[in-house]
Amino acid sequence: MSAKLATCGYLSADELAACLPASERMAKGPVAVIECVQDIPCNPCEQACPVHAITVGVPITSLPVLDAAKCIGCGVCIARCPGLAIFVIDGSRPGGEGTVQLPYEAWPLPQPGDAVVALDRRGQRVGDGTVEKVLNATAQDHTAVVTVRVPKELLNTVRAISVEGRAQS
Ligand code: SF4
Ligand code: SF4
């Protein structure tokens, strides 16, 4: 298990660097970011991906590996991850903003158009965001997926939002 995650609740810089997609891939379109560094018996992300872009393999405690070239950024894996460790970022839009899709388990859910506070992995405010979309299908088992628009330079930083003062990823 990640020592940093165990002691501080967030990943080390080295661990993060291994998870983040190349800037060229980010600019091409939405792509998953899998911030999973625990050797636990878990693989729903692998089973959920419709294009087989995630491999856990054998043993089931192996860390998931993303093939970013295969990933179509559909976001299906986000709500399937019990560790809330998967995000989809999109830096392909023209202009200065992109989007982060993140799992959200607080209530009430934000609504499209809501202004929210953008938080980093430590729950600290790093900027502002605007909610674009909220998916809360029955199949997602109470884990909504919120798409939030943020400045492009924050796509690798924003991993949670705060609505009306509540911090929750
Ligand atoms: S975002 Fe979609 S295509 Fe990409 S890894 Fe997740 S399920 Fe697969
Ligand atoms: S579902 Fe989530 S916690 Fe489980 S292996 Fe995949 S990324 Fe890790």
Side-chain angles (χ1 to χ4, degrees), residues 24 47 65 72 75 104 133 144 165:
E24 296 80 14
Q47 296 176 348
V65 176
I72 57 174
Y104 191 91
K133 192 156 83 173

Short mmCIF file of all heavy atoms in Angstrom, two decimals, residues 24 47 65 72 75 104 133 144 165:
data_model
loop_
_atom_site.label_atom_id
_atom_site.label_comp_id
_atom_site.label_asym_id
_atom_site.label_seq_id
_atom_site.Cartn_x
_atom_site.Cartn_y
_atom_site.Cartn_z
N GLU A 24 -0.11 15.30 -24.51
CA GLU A 24 -0.59 15.12 -25.89
C GLU A 24 -1.91 14.34 -25.90
O GLU A 24 -2.82 14.64 -26.66
CB GLU A 24 0.44 14.37 -26.73
CG GLU A 24 1.76 15.10 -26.93
CD GLU A 24 2.69 14.98 -25.74
OE1 GLU A 24 2.45 14.12 -24.85
OE2 GLU A 24 3.66 15.76 -25.67
N GLN A 47 -13.66 -4.85 -15.62
CA GLN A 47 -14.86 -5.49 -16.16
C GLN A 47 -15.81 -4.48 -16.78
O GLN A 47 -16.58 -4.81 -17.68
CB GLN A 47 -15.56 -6.26 -15.05
CG GLN A 47 -14.71 -7.41 -14.51
CD GLN A 47 -15.37 -8.12 -13.34
OE1 GLN A 47 -16.36 -7.63 -12.78
NE2 GLN A 47 -14.82 -9.25 -12.95
N VAL A 65 -3.96 -1.05 -15.05
CA VAL A 65 -3.13 -0.35 -16.03
C VAL A 65 -4.06 0.14 -17.15
O VAL A 65 -4.84 -0.63 -17.71
CB VAL A 65 -2.07 -1.29 -16.62
CG1 VAL A 65 -1.29 -0.59 -17.73
CG2 VAL A 65 -1.13 -1.77 -15.52
N ILE A 72 -11.82 5.79 -24.56
CA ILE A 72 -12.65 6.74 -25.29
C ILE A 72 -13.27 7.78 -24.36
O ILE A 72 -14.12 8.57 -24.77
CB ILE A 72 -13.75 6.01 -26.09
CG1 ILE A 72 -14.61 5.14 -25.16
CG2 ILE A 72 -13.13 5.17 -27.21
CD1 ILE A 72 -15.81 4.49 -25.83
N GLY A 75 -16.40 7.34 -19.33
CA GLY A 75 -16.70 7.57 -17.92
C GLY A 75 -17.41 6.44 -17.22
O GLY A 75 -17.71 6.55 -16.03
N TYR A 104 -19.25 11.35 -7.09
CA TYR A 104 -19.81 12.26 -6.08
C TYR A 104 -20.86 11.50 -5.30
O TYR A 104 -21.83 10.99 -5.87
CB TYR A 104 -20.42 13.48 -6.78
CG TYR A 104 -20.79 14.60 -5.84
CD1 TYR A 104 -19.89 15.61 -5.54
CD2 TYR A 104 -22.06 14.65 -5.26
CE1 TYR A 104 -20.22 16.64 -4.68
CE2 TYR A 104 -22.40 15.68 -4.39
CZ TYR A 104 -21.48 16.67 -4.12
OH TYR A 104 -21.81 17.69 -3.25
N LYS A 133 -22.70 18.66 -16.05
CA LYS A 133 -23.58 17.51 -16.20
C LYS A 133 -23.55 16.68 -14.92
O LYS A 133 -22.51 16.62 -14.25
CB LYS A 133 -23.10 16.66 -17.38
CG LYS A 133 -24.07 15.61 -17.84
CD LYS A 133 -23.82 15.22 -19.30
CE LYS A 133 -22.73 14.23 -19.47
NZ LYS A 133 -22.56 13.71 -20.82
N ALA A 144 -22.97 9.20 -8.05
CA ALA A 144 -23.21 10.06 -9.20
C ALA A 144 -21.87 10.41 -9.86
O ALA A 144 -20.81 10.31 -9.24
CB ALA A 144 -23.92 11.33 -8.76
N GLY A 165 -20.51 24.77 0.64
CA GLY A 165 -19.64 24.60 1.79
C GLY A 165 -19.34 23.18 2.17
O GLY A 165 -18.55 22.93 3.06
#
